[in-house]
Amino acid sequence: MWRRWNERGSLGWFEVRTRAGVYVLLAAVPVLAVILAAGQRQVRVPGLAVFLLLSVAQAGVCIALLHAGLGRYLAAGPPPKRWLVASAAALTAAGVLAGAAAFPAFTRPSGTAVPVSMLVAMLFGGALIVALTPLLSLRALTALFLVSAAAASGLTASVGRSGAGAYGQLLIAASLFYAFIVGVGVLTCRSSASTLRIMSELDRSRTEHARLSVAEERLRFARDLHDVLGRNLSLIAVQSELAAELARRGDQDAAGQMLQVRQVAHESLREMRAVVRGYRTADLGTELAGAQDVLRSAGMSCRVIGDAAGLPADVQAALGWVIREGTTNIIRHSDATACTIELHILDSPGAPRAVTLRMDNDRVHTQDAGSGGSGLAGLGERLAGLGGSITTGHPPNGHFRLEASLPACGATAVSPGPGQRGTGVTPETPAP
């Protein structure tokens, strides 16, 4: 159960819970209809059966209408079918008429209680207004609310016009009661829909931010390569054409031109390696700070525990790559809200000095973040060259953990033997 809850994602489950809370308002209509019938001293059985059936039918149609309205409100999709709106309105009117047929007290005012006509109108009219809430603007919703309140009051006044003078005060009180109950339902639905829209926009913004960050990094790398290689490649093309023309003429300078082409090509290769080396160099301190900034911009909290001071440069570079890959996986494969990065240096007497890096996040997505890709496999090979390893799994707290361990002596570690070759990734448990 908890596994399915985590796989659903925070936004998905928030939407499910919010929608369910609003749907319950409409699903309670048949229950309230039964309570209303149970409180009447006299009922007409055939009319009561129709009344209860119509309450169930109207609740179902209103839930479908509300579901379609929320979909349009959140995603600007197509409006609900006209027949669905017409069916909800027709069932509302039929339910009020069935109430008049089911309860003899419907046409007789009560001296102490809210009139039955008002309760029936509030039950069916309120359900229809709640179902229409996501489809209407605030002005139209307010107008519909006031019209429905006036219609319910007019209906009650018409069936109870033969009552005593005190009935007018009761009518006012009943109208206020109608406005309060239906108003609470409308506000609940409206606020829930607005909250869902804000959460959806935030999630889209988070996804767009991550996409733009990747695009910006690609543009930067492409710009650097263009600046470094563009001039040299153009020079190679020109000198190659010149060498070809000289060779066709039998000029001995053609060989000299090709040697210059080779020299430019070697220079271009060195410059390209410098660009790639600068791009691929992963300083541990820089990567820790970058991970915090990236995760926080994606809406997650990030806490770093430990210090990398005193570690060799190759060890810091390897752990920096672990941080970079782990951060990428959290953004791409999880719906995490918090991440903890711990760096432990084990320096016990009589034991080789070692360092362990752990990255824990509190939620993972359905896509397997620990297998199936080349990122962790490449990290395993990189760490294996330093005598280390990388594992993925779930600690007892149910979080997802990426853990890398390697000797703190760095490149002096023994290279892996034939029996140790592979990716170096050891899944403790299958990643979700």
Side-chain angles (χ1 to χ4, degrees):
M1 175 181 178
W2 290 110
R3 176 75 173 273
R4 291 195 300 269
W5 182 279
N6 287 333
E7 290 176 352
R8 177 66 181 180
S10 57
L11 179 61
W13 276 112
F14 177 80
E15 182 175 351
V16 168
R17 292 193 299 268
T18 304
R19 283 177 176 263
V22 179
Y23 296 159
V24 164
L25 293 176
L26 299 178
V29 169
V31 178
L32 296 176
V34 172
I35 295 175
L36 174 60
Q40 302 303 310
R41 295 181 179 179
Q42 295 180 350
V43 295
R44 300 185 183 98
V45 176
L48 178 61
V50 175
F51 174 76
L52 295 178
L53 288 176
L54 286 174
S55 68
V56 174
Q58 197 232 17
V61 172
C62 285
I63 289 176
L65 179 59
L66 179 60
H67 179 77
L70 285 175
R72 176 175 174 78
Y73 183 81
L74 296 177
K81 302 296 183 181
R82 292 184 178 180
W83 65 264
L84 190 61
V85 179
S87 299
L91 288 172
T92 300
V96 174
L97 294 177
F103 308 119
F106 189 89
T107 57
R108 296 197 300 270
S110 173
T112 58
V114 177
V116 178
S117 55
M118 178 65 75
L119 293 176
V120 172
M122 180 172 59
L123 190 66
F124 285 91
L128 178 62
I129 295 176
V130 169
L132 292 173
T133 296
L135 297 173
L136 303 177
S137 64
L138 184 60
R139 180 179 300 179
L141 185 62
T142 303
L144 179 61
F145 175 75
L146 294 177
V147 169
S148 67
S153 301
L155 173 66
T156 303
S158 64
V159 299
R161 59 182 177 274
S162 60
Y167 184 70
Q169 298 178 356
L170 179 61
L171 180 62
I172 295 176
S175 301
L176 294 176
F177 180 70
Y178 174 93
F180 175 76
I181 296 298
V182 177
V184 168
V186 170
L187 288 176
T188 300
C189 182
R190 190 75 177 187
S191 61
S192 298
S194 299
T195 302
L196 284 177
R197 172 181 280 184
I198 292 173
M199 293 295 293
S200 298
E201 291 177 353
L202 288 176
D203 184 69
R204 285 193 294 269
S205 298
R206 168 183 168 181
T207 303
E208 186 68 14
H209 181 275
R211 188 186 68 82
L212 291 176
S213 298
V214 173
E216 183 179 357
E217 184 64 17
R218 289 175 177 173
L219 288 175
R220 186 194 68 81
F221 189 62
R223 184 176 61 251
D224 291 346
L225 283 179
H226 177 270
D227 293 342
V228 169
L229 299 180
R231 178 184 60 83
N232 289 346
L233 290 177
S234 299
L235 182 59
I236 288 174
V238 172
Q239 289 182 332
S240 298
E241 291 179 1
L242 178 59
E245 183 65 24
L246 293 175
R248 280 194 295 268
R249 296 178 180 179
D251 195 328
Q252 296 181 355
D253 291 339
Q257 289 293 330
M258 291 307 301
L259 290 176
Q260 292 182 14
V261 169
R262 185 185 67 175
Q263 181 180 357
V264 173
H266 283 307
E267 291 178 357
S268 300
L269 181 60
R270 285 194 298 269
E271 291 178 352
M272 185 184 68
R273 286 175 175 172
V275 171
V276 174
R277 188 182 304 114
Y279 176 75
R280 298 183 64 183
T281 298
D283 177 70
L284 183 55
T286 302
E287 293 299 329
L288 286 172
Q292 286 185 298
D293 291 339
V294 170
L295 293 177
R296 286 170 181 169
S297 66
M300 311 176 203
S301 63
C302 181
R303 186 163 62 107
V304 176
I305 302 174
D307 188 5
L311 292 176
D314 52 354
V315 173
Q316 291 202 35
L319 293 180
W321 268 101
V322 174
I323 294 293
R324 182 180 293 183
E325 181 67 21
T327 303
T328 302
N329 285 342
I330 291 174
I331 294 177
R332 292 179 57 191
H333 304 304
S334 81
D335 291 303
T337 59
C339 175
T340 302
I341 303 175
E342 298 183 55
L343 188 65
H344 298 286
I345 300 177
L346 306 179
D347 196 3
S348 302
R353 194 164 181 252
V355 59
T356 300
L357 174 69
R358 296 191 185 98
M359 295 186 67
D360 285 3
N361 68 84
D362 60 350
R363 192 174 293 116
V364 290
H365 200 264
T366 54
Q367 184 175 355
D368 193 342
S371 63
S374 60
L376 292 181
L379 284 179
E381 294 174 356
R382 185 185 297 270
L383 295 182
L386 297 174
S389 62
I390 186 170
T391 60
T392 60
H394 297 276
N397 58 7
H399 293 183
F400 180 75
R401 172 174 293 175
L402 173 67
E403 181 173 328
S405 302
L406 70 160
C409 53
T412 58
V414 179
S415 300
Q420 296 174 301
R421 295 191 182 275
T423 64
V425 180
T426 305
E428 297 174 355
T429 58

